[in-house]
Each structure stands twice: as C-alpha cells, then as structure tokens.
Amino acid sequence: MSTLKVNTIQDTSGNNSSTASEISQGRAKVWINFIGSGTATILQSYNVSSLTDNGTGNYTINYSSALANANGASLLQFGRSDSNSISHVPTGVTPSASSLRFRNTYSWSGGGANTVDVTRGYVAVFNV
C-alpha cells in the first residue's frame, strides 16, 4: 500500500481547498463539546479560540480562524442532568464569520420558559 503526502487538496479547477488537518478533523469548520454550567469549560474543540459565558445560558463561541462568511449552518444540541421534563431549544442564535452567539431556552409541560445553563453543549458549524 502506498501513502500520499500532501499539504493541500484541491478540485481539478484549483478551487475548494482542504488541508490534511481539515480532512482529518471532519468537514465541519468549527465544532465544540463544552460544559456550560458553573465555569464554562471547553472539553474538546476544533477551530475554537475561546468560549465566552455571557450570563445564564448565554454563550459565544469565538473561532480561531474566521469563516468565509456568516451564512453557514450551525447545529446545536444541549443537555441538562435534572429530573424536569423539559425541551431545550437554542434561541437568539447570532452567527458571524468569527463567532457564534446563542442562548439555551427551555420550556416545560406547565407552559413556562426560561434561559438556563447547559450541563453539556455540542455545536458544529458548516460553511463554504
């Protein structure tokens, strides 16, 4: 078996460049696994310089390298470890080429809604 070693892979037109590191990390331009309660802590990430805790359930992910634009797709998943029957929904999502700000809002069967810190947060950002 042979090994091909290159720094950058492009399509036949010389566009759509990918580095070996990007391919090995997956095609998401940004991803993070974090703890959002107490002191917000990054557990693992790719292309993330920092995580800012803006207040209860309100976070900003700052990118190490800016994206081409703010028009990508952001996938957010939150979880809490409590006994309440609640649905967690990312709200107030504000994307930019250099960061993503969002809140975790939950509602429960009684019809109320609040913003609350997440026990665990998972975010992936896809962009051209």
Side-chain angles (χ1 to χ4, degrees):
M1 180 178 216
S2 298
T3 300
L4 178 62
K5 295 181 181 183
V6 297
N7 291 324
T8 304
I9 297 173
Q10 296 179 330
D11 64 22
T12 55
S13 300
N15 299 313
N16 301 309
S17 297
S18 292
T19 65
S21 177
E22 288 173 335
I23 293 168
S24 114
Q25 292 286 340
R27 289 307 302 151
K29 299 294 184 182
V30 175
W31 61 260
I32 186 172
N33 173 355
F34 70 96
I35 296 172
S37 56
T39 301
T41 305
I42 299 171
L43 298 175
Q44 288 189 313
S45 67
Y46 174 70
N47 196 25
V48 173
S49 62
S50 64
L51 173 65
T52 304
D53 187 341
N54 304 305
T56 303
N58 189 324
Y59 309 93
T60 301
I61 299 168
N62 301 294
Y63 308 153
S64 299
S65 296
L67 306 180
N69 55 58
N71 299 324
S74 303
L75 307 173
L76 299 92
Q77 179 183 3
F78 306 135
R80 282 187 52 87
S81 58
D82 55 29
S83 60
N84 296 325
S85 175
I86 56 180
S87 299
H88 292 269
V89 180
T91 58
V93 179
T94 308
S96 77
S98 59
S99 67
L100 177 69
R101 185 170 180 164
F102 55 90
R103 292 188 316 271
N104 173 46
T105 301
Y106 74 93
S107 59
W108 61 92
S109 56
N114 279 322
T115 301
V116 65
D117 282 346
V118 299
T119 303
R120 263 320 204 354
Y122 310 92
V123 178
V125 179
F126 296 85
N127 198 291
V128 296

